Amino acid sequence: MATRMTVTRFAPSPTGRLHVGNIRTALHNWMYAKGNGGRFLLRIDDTDAERSEEHFVDAIRADLAWLGMEPDGEVRQSARFALYESRFAALVAAGRIYPAYETAQELDLKRKVLLGRGLPPVYDRAALRLSEAERAALEAQGIRPHWRFKLDHDAPIRWDDAVRGPQSFDPATMSDPVIRRADGSWLYMLPSAIDDIDMGVTQVVRGEDHVSNTALQLQMFDAMGATPPGFAHAALLTGAEGKLSKRLGSLGVDHFREVGLEAQSVRALLARIGTSDPVEPVADMAPLIATFDFARFGRAPARFDEAELAQLNARIVHQLPFEAVADRLPAGMGAAEWDAVRPNLSTVGEAADWWGVIEGPVDAEIAGEDRAYLAEAAAAAAAIDWTGDPWHALTDRLKGTSGRKGKALFLPLRLALTGRAHGPDMGQLLPLIGQARAVARLGAAAG
Ligand code: GLU
């Protein structure tokens, strides 16, 4: 039997920027598609003309590009109304969609009455019991209906969720979902199912806030005669403190870029949190894609911790080869300089600081008692052979002449040469500073 090519889709509504929660959903879809030799599609859910904004569509594309998750295709719901219309007409003709005329206030009252009696607030299908004449009378008053999808109550709705395992819903406990408003506009539910069929989506990957929607949409797939895709509902994301935090809703690509993070760090963290696999500083997605498996996802919320992301970023930066960062380094900075400073970086951007240290000028605060020692060091730096390992040549010589050792030997040199008490290995840094600048800096520090 020929197996269908894997197709996933990421379906954001362009009503805001992507935040870390939906970036994670996009990543899951992207990884699953890549891991199965499939296609990752972007679907812009813009049926809500009022809330959708074009600049958010552009931002979503740009964010995915920065994240290195460019889609293999894109569709927009706003360009597909004709398709929705024809599927809608067929479902109305088949009796699976029906008009309802209650106002929001009436529905609210019905809900309150049921809740007051301790009953679940399920829609009572009063609209289905209207006679032809009653409907005509309502329409004659200018009341236009909204539309509900009629659930089949005969059997439980079941599916085997790739993350959550076997799921079962009793449709009799669910209201027939409103799928279209009185003004003709679409709610999310039916267009999404139509598109998933039409786009050949084989695996729907989304957050667990959609689990009950899936129960409803499974009946829609069935009503349209389609084989439903597989479903994977990942547990939601929480902040480091374990709560749903407001901050998560505003953390997105802009912020990651601003603080100088690598897209790979964001991917490496989001690929693993909420799974039984550890977060690892992998500089390349291949091993993460190879081990990606919904069966390894936990049911507990995944914790997103910015501090963990920053640490992971540093560990990934420490592995990046010069070629991967060359276009983001200051002009003139080469592979030797990158290799020397890389272990000290939290972000690639910080390389510019060390380039400044190498190039100078540096400003060092030197204690009075170290000045004579540094004058001695300046003379030694002028005298030693710089072709091999000048740092060892310099410190070996000074050990003998000054009688200093340990911190007293090294720290004043580091301060005078770099203006800082900490930093990259001096053995690597000193040749890059070079003899002329080193002699001058030591001399200046000697006062
Ligand atoms: N636009 C919907 C959302 O952002 C898509 C949900 C889905 O993946 O089906 O929640």
Side-chain angles (χ1 to χ4, degrees):
M1 199 182 83
T3 44
R4 286 165 79 194
M5 181 199 244
T6 296
V7 178
T8 65
R9 89 299 195 270
F10 171 53
S13 302
T15 54
R17 290 296 295 262
L18 298 183
H19 55 74
V20 60
N22 41 38
I23 289 171
R24 177 165 169 255
T25 299
L27 179 73
H28 291 158
N29 277 286
W30 180 79
M31 291 179 78
Y32 186 80
K34 297 296 144 192
N36 290 282
R39 283 163 58 77
F40 164 69
L41 304 178
L42 172 63
R43 189 182 80 202
I44 302 291
D45 280 8
D46 58 352
T47 55
D48 187 339
E50 227 144 80
R51 294 181 58 230
S52 300
E53 293 178 38
E54 200 53 34
H55 69 103
F56 288 134
V57 177
D58 294 334
I60 288 166
R61 293 189 192 117
D63 287 352
L64 289 178
W66 184 80
L67 288 158
M69 304 194 298
E70 267 170 290
D72 301 308
E74 178 184 312
V75 305
R76 291 185 70 144
Q77 291 200 316
S78 58
R80 300 162 66 79
F81 289 140
L83 174 65
Y84 306 153
E85 209 61 71
S86 74
R87 294 285 188 157
F88 172 79
L91 289 167
V92 172
R96 290 306 298 269
I97 289 178
Y98 61 92
Y101 297 83
E102 293 92 345
T103 62
Q105 290 86 334
E106 282 166 335
L107 291 172
D108 202 39
L109 190 62
K110 282 180 197 251
R111 263 194 300 270
K112 285 193 177 130
V113 169
L114 288 170
L115 287 170
R117 289 201 218 130
L119 296 169
V122 178
Y123 175 61
D124 62 7
R125 293 184 161 174
L128 272 179
R129 294 188 294 273
L130 291 174
S131 68
E132 200 66 54
E134 286 169 320
R135 265 211 301 275
L138 287 164
E139 306 242 349
Q141 290 171 44
I143 302 177
R144 293 175 64 199
H146 54 275
W147 300 85
R148 287 186 185 262
F149 178 79
K150 189 177 166 211
L151 292 172
D152 176 354
H153 286 182
D154 287 349
I157 305 168
R158 297 186 198 280
W159 78 95
D160 194 8
D161 195 276
V163 172
R164 301 164 63 85
Q167 303 290 299
S168 178
F169 281 78
D170 176 0
T173 64
M174 306 177 89
S175 294
D176 290 339
V178 175
I179 51 99
R180 197 171 191 183
R181 299 184 190 90
D183 66 2
S185 65
W186 298 98
L187 282 114
Y188 147 78
M189 205 72 72
L190 182 65
S192 178
I194 294 171
D195 287 338
D196 287 338
I197 297 168
D198 189 60
M199 293 161 67
V201 171
T202 59
Q203 184 74 36
V204 169
V205 183
R206 56 191 180 189
E208 68 180 7
D209 49 332
H210 283 288
V211 169
S212 60
N213 289 343
T214 295
L216 303 172
Q217 287 175 327
L218 278 171
Q219 285 216 356
M220 296 179 188
F221 285 108
D222 193 49
M224 291 187 277
T227 307
F231 286 89
H233 293 91
L236 300 182
L237 210 57
T238 65
E241 63 293 340
K243 282 190 264 156
L244 278 170
S245 77
K246 257 207 193 134
R247 174 145 180 83
L248 286 187
S250 62
L251 271 187
V253 166
D254 273 355
H255 172 76
F256 298 145
R257 294 182 77 148
E258 198 178 296
V259 297
L261 297 176
E262 302 302 300
Q264 174 58 16
S265 310
V266 177
R267 292 191 302 240
L269 182 72
L270 294 181
R272 286 284 175 85
I273 53 173
T275 78
S276 54
D277 291 316
V279 171
E280 292 172 305
V282 280
D284 159 19
M285 283 309 286
L288 293 174
I289 290 172
T291 53
F292 184 76
D293 182 357
F294 290 121
R296 305 174 86 94
F297 279 52
R299 294 286 296 271
R303 282 171 43 128
F304 174 80
D305 182 351
E306 274 189 270
E308 186 180 13
L309 179 57
Q311 278 164 20
L312 184 69
N313 190 71
R315 293 168 69 195
I316 286 176
V317 167
H318 300 166
Q319 303 172 43
L320 294 176
F322 173 69
E323 305 75 58
V325 297
D327 59 347
R328 290 187 283 155
L329 299 180
M333 189 164 177
E337 287 86 0
W338 170 250
D339 289 344
V341 307
R342 182 174 71 162
N344 278 77
L345 304 180
S346 304
T347 65
V348 172
E350 288 173 6
D353 302 343
W354 292 110
W355 178 241
V357 166
I358 291 167
E359 292 276 278
V362 302
D363 190 14
E365 267 185 46
I366 303 296
E369 73 260 24
D370 288 329
R371 292 191 191 279
Y373 168 58
L374 289 169
E376 201 180 322
I384 57 165
D385 175 11
W386 277 71
T387 50
D389 177 350
W391 176 247
H392 282 104
L394 178 68
T395 52
D396 281 351
R397 178 184 282 237
L398 288 169
K399 219 178 278 173
T401 57
S402 71
R404 290 184 177 225
K405 55 185 189 227
K407 200 172 157 190
L409 177 74
F410 298 115
L411 186 58
L413 298 176
R414 180 182 281 282
L415 272 175
L417 289 164
T418 69
R420 302 172 186 216
H422 304 279
D425 176 32
M426 287 303 298
Q428 276 191 278
L429 208 53
L430 190 56
L432 302 172
I433 293 170
Q435 185 169 22
R437 286 189 294 228
V439 171
R441 288 178 198 181
L442 293 167

